[in-house]
Amino acid sequence: MKRVFDGVFRDKNRLFTISFENGEYREWNPYHSKLAAAILNGLKTMPIKKGSHVLYLGAAQGNTPSFVSDIVGKQGYVICVEISEKAMEELIPLCERRENMVPVLGDANKPEGYSEYLEDIDVIYQDVAQPNQARILLKNTKYLKKGRYALLCIKARSVDVAKQPKKVFEEQIKELEKALQVMEIVNLEPFEKDHVLVVCRKL
Ligand SMILES: C[S@@+](CC[C@H](N)C(=O)[O-])C[C@H]1O[C@@H](n2cnc3c(N)ncnc32)[C@H](O)[C@@H]1O
């Protein structure tokens, strides 16, 4: 087992974290998590570390957020924003088992709704599969301090089903560049079709 990033380990093509719940190695499936897919596809900048304060937009039932919770550990935390009440039914019990995860029923388009959590965030991770993905991220990075990071998963088909994915990515990235430095773009094939993960830094 080789350590690839803080709290992330690799054995051939398999990734692992150490579970917040029981301290054992826990396999991280790249077909179910875009962050794991990006790591296996050679992500170079991994701003989520032990002790990081993470704002996670689009937490769903908490699968990837739980691996982020493993990585940040007891000194860090993950604020999990999710718009769907149905998804919250599974997210809340998960957060009860993991003291470093906080469930927030909210709309990532309206960061004012969860502003009490925005004060000291190190990294924003966004995976909301909405047409205005870049714009949503920019609304949230307004609250981020200079030099801190944002990771954005862009699903081309959520932005525009008819357009070439390459064109969609270019347009979304151009929008991000209004306020962020785009540091890295990782294609998520073969784990996810027509998706990229973009690493940005607040200017
Ligand atoms: C692709 S899923 C996220 C999967 C999750 N990130 C993971 O890897 O485990 C997208 C989620 O974003 C949520 N979502 C969509 N629009 C949202 C918004 N405006 N604010 C917050 N969550 C939103 C959806 O309800 C859905 O649960």
Side-chain angles (χ1 to χ4, degrees), residues 32-35 56-66 81-85 87 104-110 114 125-130 132 136 153 155 195:
H32 295 164
S33 173
K34 293 163 199 127
L35 184 53
Y56 194 114
L57 305 172
Q61 290 83 358
N63 179 48
T64 302
S66 72
V81 177
E82 173 51 52
I83 202 167
S84 153
E85 289 189 23
V104 177
L105 180 63
D107 181 351
N109 272 296
K110 297 177 185 147
Y114 44 87
Y125 182 96
Q126 180 183 310
D127 179 18
V128 296
Q130 288 282 333
N132 54 344
I136 294 178
C153 302
K155 179 180 179 181
H195 279 72

Side-chain angles (χ1 to χ4, degrees), residues 32-92:
H32 295 164
S33 173
K34 293 163 199 127
L35 184 53
I39 293 172
L40 282 179
N41 279 0
L43 178 77
K44 292 189 192 71
T45 318
M46 174 53 163
I48 301 173
K49 299 182 164 76
K50 190 171 176 183
S52 296
H53 300 168
V54 179
L55 174 66
Y56 194 114
L57 305 172
Q61 290 83 358
N63 179 48
T64 302
S66 72
F67 289 94
V68 174
S69 141
D70 289 344
I71 297 168
V72 304
K74 288 201 166 72
Q75 280 91 45
Y77 56 76
V78 192
I79 308 298
C80 301
V81 177
E82 173 51 52
I83 202 167
S84 153
E85 289 189 23
K86 185 89 195 108
M88 290 302 271
E89 287 172 15
E90 280 183 50
L91 182 62
I92 290 169

Side-chain angles (χ1 to χ4, degrees), residues 166-183:
K166 190 167 169 272
K167 185 86 187 135
V168 172
F169 299 144
E170 279 169 11
E171 286 171 4
Q172 293 286 301
I173 286 160
K174 200 164 169 210
E175 182 151 8
L176 293 175
E177 284 174 336
K178 289 178 188 163
L180 303 170
Q181 178 189 2
V182 172
M183 309 197 52

